[in-house]
Amino acid sequence: SLNGIKSGEINVELKKMSKEEIKHFSEMNLGSRRDLLSEFNYQIFEQKDIIRKQNIKKREEVTRRLMPVVFPCSVQQQPTPSYETETDP
């Protein structure tokens, strides 16, 4: 319980541990370190994947905007409004 503890004071209780307990505790920490490292690597992967997807979108946008300029014949022309194609009788 933390009742009676004032600011600036800390209570510490040390306990003697056997070599087996230290080894067991050490192994437990290795597993959590491995999990933490795994999570960290996934976060890095996720950030790189987001950047990769953003770059793909930028490239697609540039391609979409350049196609009509570079290959004007291959771009579908907009249909002519009907009032321009009709002939007066």
Side-chain angles (χ1 to χ4, degrees):
S1 172
L2 298 177
N3 293 339
I5 295 178
K6 296 178 184 175
S7 177
E9 292 182 15
I10 187 167
N11 293 328
V12 177
E13 182 181 330
L14 300 177
K15 178 181 172 186
K16 188 171 184 171
M17 295 174 68
S18 68
K19 288 184 180 184
E20 291 81 23
E21 290 175 316
I22 292 172
K23 184 177 179 184
H24 177 71
F25 183 74
S26 179
E27 288 171 358
M28 285 177 29
N29 285 341
L30 274 178
S32 63
R33 276 189 244 146
R34 226 175 296 139
D35 292 343
L36 187 61
L37 184 59
S38 208
E39 178 66 25
F40 181 69
N41 285 333
Y42 179 75
Q43 292 293 327
I44 290 172
F45 166 78
E46 200 170 54
Q47 288 176 354
K48 286 181 179 179
D49 193 49
I50 289 170
I51 291 169
R52 180 186 68 84
K53 288 176 181 178
Q54 288 172 343
N55 288 337
I56 289 172
K57 281 185 177 183
K58 287 177 186 176
R59 248 190 336 259
E60 288 174 347
E61 175 64 18
V62 168
T63 301
R64 186 188 66 75
R65 294 177 67 198
L66 281 177
M67 286 301 288
V69 175
V70 175
F71 302 106
C73 295
S74 69
V75 178
Q76 288 183 348
Q77 292 188 0
Q78 297 296 324
T80 309
S82 60
Y83 63 86
E84 291 180 8
T85 58
E86 290 180 3
T87 56
D88 289 329

